[in-house]
Amino acid sequence: MVAEELAAHLTEVGPVEFELPDITTGERLTRSVAVLFTSSRRKLLTDTYWSELWADWREAAGWPKEGTFHSLRHLFGTTLMSNGVEPQEVQKALRHANLRITLETYVHWMPKKDRARGVVGGLLRDADSTRREPRADQDRS
């Protein structure tokens, strides 16, 4: 069904060329981009338009009103983190400006088995077990 709908959309609307900002270079550039998903009037899908579509989809699915379109972004981020994807990869996927944002938002979703625990205690135990015993010829006073 999805493939049929996509084929119908491409036949009816087709890819639409837009000049969009290119944020990958760090410079202020725009590039011509063929966009597949546009409105039936060949317009870009704005945040407002997506929110309207989402409200209809959410209601049709019987999901709670609190489940915003942005909630899908968090679902994506938590799914990646809880399945052991490296935080740097999650940062890239979500296009966070820095790793701190990703970690502050999603670190509690990292699988507990992957979290370092008792690191300092382990180091102290290792140091204690490898501590040299006094030699037999040393005075033990």
Side-chain angles (χ1 to χ4, degrees), residues 110-136:
M110 287 178 71
K112 292 184 191 271
K113 65 182 172 75
D114 294 339
R115 293 188 200 170
R117 301 241 188 241
V119 173
V120 173
L123 290 172
L124 293 174
R125 278 188 298 281
D126 289 348
D128 187 47
S129 68
T130 58
R131 188 176 56 180
R132 286 194 196 168
E133 292 293 325
R135 292 191 319 246

Side-chain angles (χ1 to χ4, degrees), residues 65-85:
K65 204 170 193 175
E66 298 79 27
T68 64
F69 187 70
H70 188 77
S71 299
L72 291 178
R73 177 179 172 85
H74 287 301
L75 174 64
F76 180 62
T78 56
T79 299
L80 293 176
M81 288 296 277
S82 62
N83 283 283
V85 174

Side-chain angles (χ1 to χ4, degrees), residues 13-141:
V13 180
V16 181
E17 292 283 329
F18 291 98
E19 288 292 320
L20 297 176
D22 180 351
I23 63 168
T24 62
T25 64
E27 299 176 30
R28 291 182 172 240
L29 298 173
T30 59
R31 297 196 189 280
S32 182
V33 177
V35 177
L36 292 179
F37 301 104
T38 63
S39 73
S40 58
R41 295 186 195 128
R42 301 174 62 91
K43 302 287 183 191
L44 277 175
L45 302 178
T46 63
D47 293 349
T48 303
Y49 185 67
W50 268 115
S51 294
E52 292 168 7
L53 290 173
W54 174 252
D56 293 342
W57 297 334
R58 186 191 74 269
E59 188 175 319
W63 292 349
K65 204 170 193 175
E66 298 79 27
T68 64
F69 187 70
H70 188 77
S71 299
L72 291 178
R73 177 179 172 85
H74 287 301
L75 174 64
F76 180 62
T78 56
T79 299
L80 293 176
M81 288 296 277
S82 62
N83 283 283
V85 174
E86 290 292 327
Q88 295 86 343
E89 294 302 314
V90 177
Q91 174 197 357
K92 288 178 188 174
L94 295 174
R95 296 176 59 188
H96 286 154
N98 57 58
L99 186 58
R100 180 179 176 184
I101 294 168
T102 307
L103 291 174
E104 286 177 351
T105 307
Y106 299 105
V107 72
H108 59 282
W109 290 103
M110 287 178 71
K112 292 184 191 271
K113 65 182 172 75
D114 294 339
R115 293 188 200 170
R117 301 241 188 241
V119 173
V120 173
L123 290 172
L124 293 174
R125 278 188 298 281
D126 289 348
D128 187 47
S129 68
T130 58
R131 188 176 56 180
R132 286 194 196 168
E133 292 293 325
R135 292 191 319 246
D137 62 336
Q138 285 182 332
D139 183 39
R140 293 185 182 222
S141 35

